[in-house]
C-alpha cells in the first residue's frame, strides 16, 4: 500500500489535485486514491467535481480495464462531507435574496451536479472495485454504492450518516442501496437510525462481497481481483458491467431484449476467437485495446 | 410489555376497538397493538379497516415520529385471517345471484380495499417497526412486509400460509417480499410450500434485521430503536422512508431525479441547521413538529 | 436417483432425445433430466430448442403440477455450452458474406431464440425446482436463474463462465441474477471474474435455498419438495408463481393492481372451499386438474 | 337542459350540496351538474371534496352505467378555482409557524387530496362524458382531462390558466393532456402561454371528439351518447374504460398481458351470450346489474 | 387489384390456405391478402394462427422488404370474428367440467395465442402497410393497429365492434389505439359506443395517413409506397420500424439509449456507404439482402 | 428578421462561432440563430457541440426566460447533417484498426455525445420555440422535436431524411416524434419513406402548432409568443415545461406524484402572490429572476 502511494501520478492524470491516480501494478489496472488524509479524506465541492472528471476520463481511456478506489491513510476511506466546507457553502445557505422556489431551483442544480459526480463511477465503462477501511461514513456509502465491487477491512466503521445532520441522503445511497443488498428491513434500519455497522454485518446483509483483515490485505486483494478481471476480454467485462446495471433497473424481458441488441455487435469482436484459441493453446489470451 | 398494555389509549385514538394505540415511552413514539389475543389476533374485515384508519391518522399526526406495531398476548403476532369470519363473508361466497364477471368486479373492489388497509402502513409517512413473535402466519407476513423494519423473537413461527387455503396471497406478500429479501429461490419455496420458517432462517435470508430472545426483549428493542429514530430530524427520517420506498420501485436514474426534487424543498427546512448546531454544542437537537 | 433414470419416458414426451422426462414418484411431479452425461451434459442448439419445447408442453399439461430439473451422471449438472459445437456454428462465425449490420440481425434472431428456449422454464406455469450438482457452469447458471427454486449439493462447482470465452452472458444470467440474490457486489464479482463458487457461498448470498450432502440427497429433497407443492391447490401454486415473477419486474403498486385482477377470477375456483373443507375434515384435499 | 335542472336529486345522493345529481333520462344514465352558477361554478375546497365523493359513489352504484358531467347556467362550465376562497386558504398561505420543509409536507398532502378528488372521475368505473360550454378555464381542463369523453359547444372558451396565477397546473392537466391530444407543441403552447382556445382548435388538436352548436344541443348529445353506451354490456363498457386507461400508461406488451388476465374473468360473464342471442333475435339485449 | 389475385402463391408460402401470398410487383414487396371473401373475410381460429405464421415467416425472409396487407373482394377488409365459428368454439363456452379459475387459465392461454398471432404483424421486422376498404370491423381494427401504415378507401366502414358482442376488445385494439391516434376522447367514444366511423373521421383523428378513392387506388398507392420503402436500405428501414415501436413504449431517455446500442452495429453495415455513393453517382442504390 | 441578424452577440455568449445569440427584443427573450447560411446551415460536429453548450448556458442564465431558435438565411432552417463533413469523419469510417465490438463502443460514445447536444434543448429549463422555414431536413426534425413549440412557414420543406442515407435516425427524431404528433401511421410513413411533407400536413398531424406565411412573419410570431411567455412567472413556466416533459414519459399516477413533490417547493415562491396582486391592481406582474 505504501508502495502505491509512492507511485507517480499516471500520465494524463497529473492535473488532478485531490486524488492520486497511479498504476496499480497489474496491466491495465489503475488505482485512484482519495488524498486528503489529514482531514480524514472528507469531501468538499472541488473534490467531488474532480472525482467525476477522473472517472469520466478513465471511462474511455483504452489503457484502463479495471479501477481500484481507496482512501489514503490509515484512519479511513472518508469521513464523508466536510461539514465545515459545507456549512460555508452558498448553495446550502438560505440566502435572503432568493425565495423558496428560486432556492429550490438552485438546490436542484446543485444536487444534480453532485449526484452526477458520484454517478460517474457507475457510468465509467470499466469495473470499479472500492476498498472501504476504518472510518467510512456518509458519502463513503454513496460512493461505495456507485462502485461495482465492494471490499472492506475487518475494522471498517460504516454508517449512512445523513439523518444525523438533518437530511435524507441524496447523492445515491437511498437510490442504490435497496438494490445492492438483500435485506430491506436492515436498509431502512441503518438509513433511519444512522447507526454504525461493521464488516460482519456488511457481509451478512450483502453490502460487501469480501472482508479482509487489514487495509494492506484488502488493497492487495482488490488489486489482485482487478488484475484478474483486467486480463479478461474487455468487450466481455465492460458488456457485463453495462448489462448488470441495466438489469438492476429493468424488467427481465426488457433486459433480455437489450442484451440481444448489445451482443449483436459485441459478439462480432475478435475476443471470443482470441479467448477460445488461447484456451486451446493453454496461453493467456491477449485482447486489443478498448 | 405488560406495562404497555396498561397504558391508556392515546388521545384522539380512543374510538378504535381492536387495537391498543398507546404512548410507547420515548417522546413521539406510538405503540399499536393488535388486541384480540383470545383469537390469536386473527383478523376479520372490521379489524383491517380499522388498522388502515389508524395508520392514516398516524401519518399526519405531528405528535408521532415512529410507530411500533405488535400483537397482544404471548401466543403470537397474528394467526392471519380469521377463517370462520372469512368463510361467512359474503364477498368471498359464490353468490348465486352474480355471474362470474360481476363477481370478479365485486372481488376486485373487496381485495383493493383490503390491500389499501394494509398498504396504509407503508404509506404512513412515519417509520413503522413491527415485532413478530410466536405464531405469525399469513396476513402477518403481508403486514410485516408493509412495515419498514422487521424484528422477531427467537420463537417466531412464520409462514406464507395462503396456498394452504387454496389461494395466492393477494394482500401484499407476493408483491413486496421479492424486494424485501435477498433470496428469490427461498421466496418461491416458502410461498409455494407454505412451510414454516423460524428466526434464524428469517435473519439469514434478510426478512428481519434483528432477532431477540423474547417478546419482552423484542418489544424493548423496537421501542428503543423507535426512540432513537424519533430523536432525529423528522424531515430527514420521513424523507428517507419516502425515498427508499420510491427507490425500491424505480430505476436508479428515476430515483436520483425524484430525490433531487424532494430535497430541493426539504433542505430548506431548519433541521440541518438545528442538527449541526446541536452537534457543535454537544446537545440533543430539538426539531419542530412535522 | 438411479431409479429415476430407469423410469420410462413419460407418455406424450417420448419424442424428446436429449432429456429424460419421467414421473418422479409423487403424483403430478415430473422429472426432467439433461441426458448427455458423456459430454458433461454440455448443450448444443438442438438441445436447448428441445428444452424449450419440453417446458412449453409441461406448462399446459394438466397432469403436471411441479417439475424437477437435474443433470444425468455424477460429473455435473452441465458444463454449459458445448464449445466444439458452438465454434462450428454458422450463426457465430463471421461469415464473409454478411456485413456487420446483417450479421447483427442474424445474431439478434439467434440469441432471441436461445433466450426463448431457456425462458420457457420461467414461463412454464408450473413451479420448476432445479438441482445443481458438481460441474454447473455457464449455461447452468442461466438455466438455474430461470427456474423457481434452486437446490445444490455440497460439492457443486458453480461459475458464470462467459467472460472467459470472451462474451457477456446473454441467455439470462445477467438479466435475472441481480434480482435473484441479495449481494450486487458479489454478482458483479462472480460475473466479471468468472471465478468458481461453491455451495456455502451460494447459500450465503441467496443463490440457492438449500444445500444437500449428495446428489441423491438433493434429488430426493427436490422431489419431496415438489411433491409437497404438487399436493397444494394448483390454482394457488401457479398463481403464486405468476404473481411473484410479476412482482420482481414491477413496482409494488403495479403488482398489487395486477394481483387484484388475477385473483378476481382465481378466487372463484373451487380450491378455497376444497382446501378449507379438507382442513376441517383433517383430510388431504383433492383438487381438480389445471 | 332546463328540464335537467328541475329533476329531483337522485336517491342516495341527496346529501350533496354543490352538485345536482339527477337521472338524465335514459336508463342507467346519471347527470352530475356543478351547481354554483352565480359564481361561474368556481370551485372551493368543499366542492372538490364533494365531487370526489360523488364519483366514488357512482363508481360502485349498480344503477349507474354512464355519467354526464356539466356546469349549471349559461355562463360556463367553470371559471376554475375560486381565487377568493383560495387566497384565504390556510394551506396556501406561507404561515410563519412552519419552515419550508414542513410547509412542503403540508402542501404535498393538500395537493394529493385535491388530485385524488379529480382523479375520482378517472377512477370511476363507469364512463364519464363531460360537456364544456362557455367559460371553461383552469380546473375545467383538469376535470375534462380526467373524464373519458369530451364534448364542447361552439362558444366554449378554454384555457390552461394556471401560469397566469403563478403556478404550474398540478391537479392533472399537465399529467393527462400530453396523452389526450396529438400535438405536443400545441400542448406546450397553451400550457405556457395560458392563452384561450376555442372549439375549432380543440377539435383539431384532438381535445374534444365532438363540437355542438349550443349547450342544449351538447347536453342532448352527451345524454344520447351516454344512453347508447349504457345500453351496452356494462362488463364490456367498464372493461373497455379500464383497459384503455391502463394502455395509455403502459407499453403495448404490458397492456396485452393485463388485458388477458382481465378478460379471463370478464369473458365468463353472461353478457356475450346475452348480446349474441339478443342480436339473433333482433332485440335489445338486457344485461344484469354491475 | 384483380391482377393481384391472379398471381401465383409465392414460393415457400404455398401451404397457406386462407391467405394469398403473392409478389406485389415492385422488387421485395409481398402482398398478403385475406382470402375468404364469401364470408366477408371473417376470421376463425385456423385463420389467425395462419396469419401469425405467415408474418413470422416474412419477418426473416431476405427476399421481403415491405408487405401490403388487404382483404379479398369488394365487400370489405374483414367483418371481424366469425361469430358462428366463435360461438361453437370450446374455449369460449362455459364448459360444465371446469370451474371459474380453471376456465380462466384456459382463456388466458387462448387469448394470448390469439394476441400473438396478430402481434406477429407488429413483430415482423419488415414494414407492413394495411389497406382498409368497405366493411372493416372489430378484428379489422386490431389487425390495422398492429400494422405500421394504415391507408383506407373513401367508402371504408370502420368500427371497434367488440362491446356490441359483450366484451372489451382484447386482441390489441385497446392496447394500441390510444398510442396510434391523437384524440383520446375519440378513442373512448368509438370503443365504448361501437359506432361506425368513416374515412374522413379516421384521417382527422390520425388513424390513417392516407385516404384513397377506391380499393384499386388504395392498393396501388400501398404497393407504390411499399415499393418506395423497399428501395431504401433495409438496415435503415427495419431499424426505423424497431426504434419507432420501441419509442412508443418507452421514455425518451430509454429510447435514446436503446437507439445508441442498436445503431452501434447498424452503422457498421455497408448501407450508408452504398446510399451515399449511389447518391453521388445519381444512381439507385442496391443493398444486400437482409 | 434582418434586424435580428444585426444585433450584437449577447454578453457572455460571444465565444460561440456558429450561432448568433442575440436579444430578441422582448425582455428575457433570446434568439439563437444557426449561422451557416452559405451551406444551408448544415451541421458538422463542432456545431452541434456548440449548440449543446449554448443551451446548457441558457438553461441557468437568470436573464433568459424564453428562447427562439431559427436558421439564418432564406434557404432553410437546416439541410441537416453536412454529408461532406460526415463522410470524412473518423468516427463513422470503418477504421481497419478496430474490430466490430470496439468500433461499436466508439460509435456508442459518438452517438451519445451527439444526442446529448440536441437533448440540451429539451433539458434547457427555459421554453424553446423553434421556427422551421424552407429546407428543414434530417437533423432539422431531431432539433425541432427537442424544442418545446414548433412553428413553421407556409413554404417549409420537411423530411425525416435519414433512411435515404442508409441509417435509422438516431439523434432523437425516432424517440420523440411518436409522442409529439397524433398519427403513428403517418410517423412511420414519413420516417420509412423519407418523403417530404409541407406545412399543411405538418399542422394536420400535429407536428407544428402554427403555420405562418413567411419567415419574417413566423419569426415575429415566435418572438411575440416568447415575449408573452417570458412575461409570466418563470417558476410557473419552467415548472410547466418540466412537468409536461415528465408526463410524456411516465404514467399518469407517476406524473401526479412527481407534480406534487415539485409544487411543494414551487408554491412557496412569491410568484403566486405577485401574480394575484398584479391581477387585482390590473398591472403587469414583475417576477424575480430565476
Amino acid at each position: 500500500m505504501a508502495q502505491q502511494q509512492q507511485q507517480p501520478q499516471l500520465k494524463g492524470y497529473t492535473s488532478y489535485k485531490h486524488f492520486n491516480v497511479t498504476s496499480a501494478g497489474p496491466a491495465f489496472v489503475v488505482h485512484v486514491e482519495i488524498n486528503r488524509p489529514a482531514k480524514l479524506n472528507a469531501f468538499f465541492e472541488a473534490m467531488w467535481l474532480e472525482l467525476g472528471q477522473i472517472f469520466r476520463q478513465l471511462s474511455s481511456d483504452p489503457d484502463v480495464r479495471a479501477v481500484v478506489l481507496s482512501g489514503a491513510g490509515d484512519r479511513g476511506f472518508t469521513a464523508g462531507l466536510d461539514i465545515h466546507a459545507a456549512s460555508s457553502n452558498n448553495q446550502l445557505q438560505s440566502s435572503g435574496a432568493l425565495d423558496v422556489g428560486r432556492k429550490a431551483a438552485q438546490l436542484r442544480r446543485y444536487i444534480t451536479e453532485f449526484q452526477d459526480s458520484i454517478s460517474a463511477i457507475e457510468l465509467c465503462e470499466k469495473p470499479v472495485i472500492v476498498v472501504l477501511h476504518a472510518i467510512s461514513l456518509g458519502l463513503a456509502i454513496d460512493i461505495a454504492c456507485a462502485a461495482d465491487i465492494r471490499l472492506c477491512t475487518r475494522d471498517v466503521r460504516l454508517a449512512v450518516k445523513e439523518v444525523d445532520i438533518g437530511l435524507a441522503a441524496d447523492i445515491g445511497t437511498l437510490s442504490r442501496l435497496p438494490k445492492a443488498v438483500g435485506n430491506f428491513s436492515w436498509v431502512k434500519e441503518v438509513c433511519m437510525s444512522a447507526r454504525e455497522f461493521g464488516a460482519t454485518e456488511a457481509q451478512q446483509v450483502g453490502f460487501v462481497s469480501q472482508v479482509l483483515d487489514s487495509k494492506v490485505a484488502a488493497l492487495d486483494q482488490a488489486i489482485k481481483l482487478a488484475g484478474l478481471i483486467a486480463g479478461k476480454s474487455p468487450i466481455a467485462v465492460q458488456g457485463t458491467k453495462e448489462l448488470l446495471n441495466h438489469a438492476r433497473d429493468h424488467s427481465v424481458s426488457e433486459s433480455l431484449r437489450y442484451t440481444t441488441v448489445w451482443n449483436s455487435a459485441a459478439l462480432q469482436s475478435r475476443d471470443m476467437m482470441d479467448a477460445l484459441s488461447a484456451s486451446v493453446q493453454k496461453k493467456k489470451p491477449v485482447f486489443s485495446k478498448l
Side-chain angles (χ1 to χ4, degrees), chain A:
Chain A
M1 190 192 71
Q3 266 176 285
Q4 295 302 326
Q5 292 172 342
Q6 292 160 3
Q7 294 262 344
Q9 197 84 341
L10 210 63
K11 230 178 97 176
Y13 296 81
T14 50
S15 63
Y16 297 113
K17 294 181 192 165
H18 309 294
F19 296 84
N20 295 319
V21 184
T22 60
S23 169
F28 300 111
V29 180
V30 168
H31 182 194
V32 176
E33 192 183 48
I34 315 170
N35 190 22
R36 203 189 172 211
K39 295 285 187 186
L40 251 163
N41 294 322
F43 276 73
F44 50 91
E45 188 168 2
M47 277 177 79
W48 67 71
L49 293 177
E50 196 171 293
L51 183 75
Q53 287 172 302
I54 290 170
F55 278 92
R56 278 183 209 105
Q57 187 176 344
L58 293 167
S59 183
S60 59
D61 183 336
D63 291 320
V64 179
R65 293 195 185 164
V67 183
V68 171
L69 174 62
S70 68
D74 292 331
R75 291 167 59 214
F77 177 75
T78 176
L81 214 59
D82 185 320
I83 295 293
H84 285 282
S87 54
S88 63
N89 185 315
N90 274 341
Q91 310 282 351
L92 297 174
Q93 299 307 315
S94 61
S95 113
L98 291 182
D99 73 10
V100 175
R102 285 157 178 82
K103 185 76 198 161
Q106 196 187 69
L107 282 165
R108 282 195 306 271
R109 290 173 196 152
Y110 174 80
I111 301 171
T112 300
E113 193 182 55
F114 194 168
Q115 289 177 344
D116 285 351
S117 298
I118 304 306
S119 292
I121 299 172
E122 182 167 306
L123 294 175
C124 173
E125 299 180 6
K126 321 299 168 58
V128 179
I129 303 173
V130 70
V131 175
L132 300 163
H133 79 283
I135 296 293
S136 300
L137 307 176
L139 193 56
I141 310 291
D142 295 285
I143 290 171
C145 285
D148 297 296
I149 298 174
R150 286 170 286 282
L151 309 186
C152 74
T153 58
R154 189 64 56 200
D155 71 344
V156 77
R157 296 175 55 190
L158 300 150
V160 182
K161 206 62 190 160
E162 281 83 348
V163 294
D164 271 351
I165 51 168
L167 75 155
D170 54 8
I171 307 305
T173 292
L174 300 188
S175 301
R176 292 188 178 97
L177 193 57
K179 292 173 173 175
V181 310
N183 187 324
F184 199 40
S185 170
W186 178 86
V187 168
K188 286 191 168 161
E189 190 184 315
V190 296
C191 291
M192 286 173 173
S193 69
R195 76 163 171 82
E196 272 193 29
F197 57 99
T200 308
E201 196 173 345
Q203 187 164 35
Q204 194 185 327
V205 299
F207 181 63
V208 299
S209 46
Q210 294 183 37
V211 177
L212 286 300
D213 280 335
S214 66
K215 190 186 166 190
V216 173
L219 212 41
D220 279 358
Q221 173 64 3
I223 290 168
K224 207 169 121 192
L225 179 56
L228 174 65
I229 291 172
K232 316 266 174 195
S233 151
I235 290 280
V237 166
Q238 294 171 29
T240 297
K241 171 165 182 170
E242 167 73 9
L243 295 176
L244 284 173
N245 282 342
H246 186 277
R248 176 195 61 190
D249 288 337
H250 292 79
S251 69
V252 164
S253 63
E254 284 289 310
S255 171
L256 289 170
R257 181 182 186 181
Y258 186 74
T259 300
T260 302
V261 179
W262 182 274
N263 261 9
S264 74
L267 293 184
Q268 297 188 59
S269 72
R270 279 191 298 262
D271 295 34
M272 263 181 79
M273 220 171 311
D274 290 348
L276 290 172
S277 64
S279 159
V280 168
Q281 300 165 38
K282 314 254 176 209
K283 294 198 302 187
K284 200 172 145 49
V286 178
F287 300 103
S288 316
K289 293 200 173 181
L290 174 62

